[in-house]
Amino acid sequence: MKPLIANIIMFVSVALLPWWAVAAVGVVLLFMIRSFYEIIVWGLVADLLYGIPVEAWYQISFVMTIGATALVVITDAIKINLRIYS
Amino acid sequence: MVVVSVFLLGLSHLSGITRIFSQGATSLATPVWRAEAYLGELGNDVAMAVRSKESLIAENKALREELASVKIGLLSRDLLLNENRELKERLGRYDSNPAGLLAAVLVKPRRSPYDTLVIDVGSRHGVDVGDLVGAHGDLLIGTIERAMETTSLVRLFSSPGEEIEVTVGSSNIAALAVGAGGGNFRLEIPRGVDITEGDIISFPSISTTIAGVVERIQVEPNDPFQTILFKSPINTNELKWVEVIDHTERDLQGIVDEETRDDAIEGEDVVTDEQ
């Protein structure tokens, strides 16, 4: 049930919130739910909705997917060192 | 991370599949965007209803005064516009400013880091990739990047790294402006060129099309160039309506693709300096 609600929250966030707020919501959900890798899919959805190849970023149009992946890696690394997750 | 990177690399080369997924995602998100726009309008109406009578009277008075001064400015502008049109007709050139297709803005640029808009018209309404997007009549702000069936994604000219040809100031110096995101641009011109804050930057065209207004000029002591920072006169995050202009009808030598521009240069109706 929790992952379902989390995915609905992510869908609404991607559709309505600025990208930095979506990132903040994603970080909170990553800490609340174990292995919430669906956030990478939501990053991809955001790129499919709003993304264009950007000259300044070497024509990459998947910036938010890459960002979501980085968030997963970073939060996993932090969780390993937090007592409440052991 | 490696798996994701490889997947994205593959996806970036399969533009057809990306387009299908993009259309699917847009179809799911469009009802949410429309609901957001409707609720936003409703919220504004409710907020207006609960404001105090005094604040409404004060705002009304201030707006009336501003309207009066703008009307006077518009009268002068109309006179100059008519004179400009007559002069062009005498030289055998005609303003080609076709009317655009009005579109509502569903998603503003602040939603993503890409500096893009989503508007509520698409291929069903005749919108095509490459069509120009304008606001408030004289301002061009971007081009159609993707046209889905009922919505379109607009790439703003101020998208980071985006290069556009512009002319600077009253002497119409040609320059290449680079987008810096959020309606901001930067360009470099030789130091000796006379330019001040508030000067108009426009697109090179027979028609007057504003790109922005000079905000700041940066000059380093040993640099032969000066850096001009200019900004679109409108805040794209507050746009509600835009116009989509068919790119095949628009007479723009700096914005359209090089093939179209070269065809225009080779055409017989081009006015040269000698003429």
Side-chain angles (χ1 to χ4, degrees):
Chain A
M1 194 64 182
K2 257 169 105 176
L4 176 63
I5 294 170
N7 281 305
I8 291 170
I9 290 172
M10 281 306 301
F11 169 64
V12 174
S13 301
V14 164
L16 296 180
L17 296 180
W19 61 273
W20 49 267
V22 176
V25 169
V27 167
V28 169
L29 290 173
L30 277 168
F31 277 105
M32 286 175 62
I33 297 167
R34 185 196 296 266
S35 305
F36 185 55
Y37 299 135
E38 293 93 311
I39 194 175
I40 299 174
V41 175
W42 291 114
L44 182 60
V45 169
D47 284 327
L48 289 171
L49 285 174
Y50 312 120
I52 53 171
V54 176
E55 206 60 51
W57 304 334
Y58 306 103
Q59 299 286 339
I60 293 173
S61 59
F62 293 105
V63 171
M64 290 192 274
T65 311
I66 294 168
T69 310
L71 278 179
V72 167
V73 170
I74 292 168
T75 50
D76 276 356
I78 293 172
K79 277 190 212 176
I80 287 168
N81 293 303
L82 286 177
R83 199 180 301 176
I84 57 170
Y85 290 104
S86 61
Chain B
M1 191 107 178
V2 171
V3 171
V4 169
S5 304
V6 169
F7 171 71
L8 290 178
L9 198 63
L11 202 60
S12 65
H13 285 90
L14 298 168
S15 58
I17 292 181
T18 310
R19 190 180 159 81
I20 292 168
F21 282 125
S22 179
Q23 280 188 331
T26 305
S27 304
L28 283 173
T30 301
V32 179
W33 293 333
R34 291 190 195 277
E36 181 201 7
Y38 172 75
L39 289 171
E41 285 295 321
L42 200 63
N44 281 339
D45 291 342
V46 169
M48 287 295 291
V50 300
R51 282 175 69 182
S52 72
K53 191 176 171 186
E54 286 78 16
S55 72
L56 283 172
I57 290 171
E59 190 185 5
N60 188 280
K61 188 181 171 195
L63 285 171
R64 279 178 191 275
E65 284 169 3
E66 193 184 345
L67 184 61
S69 74
V70 165
K71 272 184 178 174
I72 292 165
L74 275 176
L75 281 173
S76 309
R77 179 187 175 270
D78 285 345
L79 282 170
L80 287 168
L81 210 59
N82 285 333
E83 187 184 343
N84 184 269
R85 198 170 289 128
E86 280 167 22
L87 285 169
K88 283 176 187 168
E89 284 172 9
R90 281 188 207 172
L91 289 169
R93 295 300 302 270
Y94 299 89
D95 250 347
S96 57
N97 273 355
L101 173 67
L102 196 63
V105 175
L106 292 177
V107 177
K108 298 185 173 57
R110 68 166 80 93
R111 196 65 55 87
S112 75
Y114 293 101
D115 221 21
T116 53
L117 300 174
V118 177
I119 57 176
D120 73 343
V121 291
S123 54
R124 189 194 289 178
H125 308 92
V127 174
D128 205 1
V129 172
D131 284 351
L132 295 163
V133 178
H136 302 301
D138 293 337
L139 284 163
L140 284 181
I141 59 172
T143 57
I144 300 290
E145 177 75 12
R146 273 203 300 274
M148 270 70 74
E149 199 178 329
T150 55
T151 59
S152 298
L153 185 71
V154 178
R155 173 198 289 262
L156 296 178
F157 290 136
S158 58
S159 184
E162 191 75 8
E163 291 180 341
I164 49 167
E165 292 178 18
V166 295
T167 56
V168 178
S170 53
S171 20
N172 288 328
I173 309 282
L176 197 66
V178 180
N184 298 298
F185 301 83
R186 62 186 301 131
L187 61 87
E188 286 193 351
I189 53 173
R191 207 163 156 175
V193 173
D194 185 27
I195 186 162
T196 53
E197 289 176 11
D199 277 356
I200 300 286
I201 310 283
S202 51
F203 293 113
S205 164
I206 194 69
S207 321
T208 307
T209 324
I210 300 167
V213 178
V214 176
E215 289 247 308
R216 211 153 29 114
I217 302 167
Q218 292 173 342
V219 183
E220 299 295 325
N222 298 323
D223 195 347
F225 291 92
Q226 50 182 332
T227 302
I228 310 297
L229 304 175
F230 70 96
K231 192 180 169 70
S232 174
I234 53 162
N235 185 347
T236 48
N237 285 310
E238 290 175 1
L239 272 178
K240 286 191 176 174
W241 301 98
V242 295
E243 291 146 7
V244 180
I245 303 162
D246 188 340
H247 68 281
T248 56
E249 292 181 22
R250 182 75 189 184
D251 176 28
L252 275 176
Q253 295 171 355
I255 303 295
V256 298
D257 59 271
E258 286 185 7
E259 187 184 339
T260 310
R261 185 183 59 203
D262 290 343
D263 286 345
I265 288 167
E266 286 166 14
E268 290 179 358
D269 60 340
V270 172
V271 179
T272 63
D273 287 340
E274 285 75 28
Q275 290 174 324

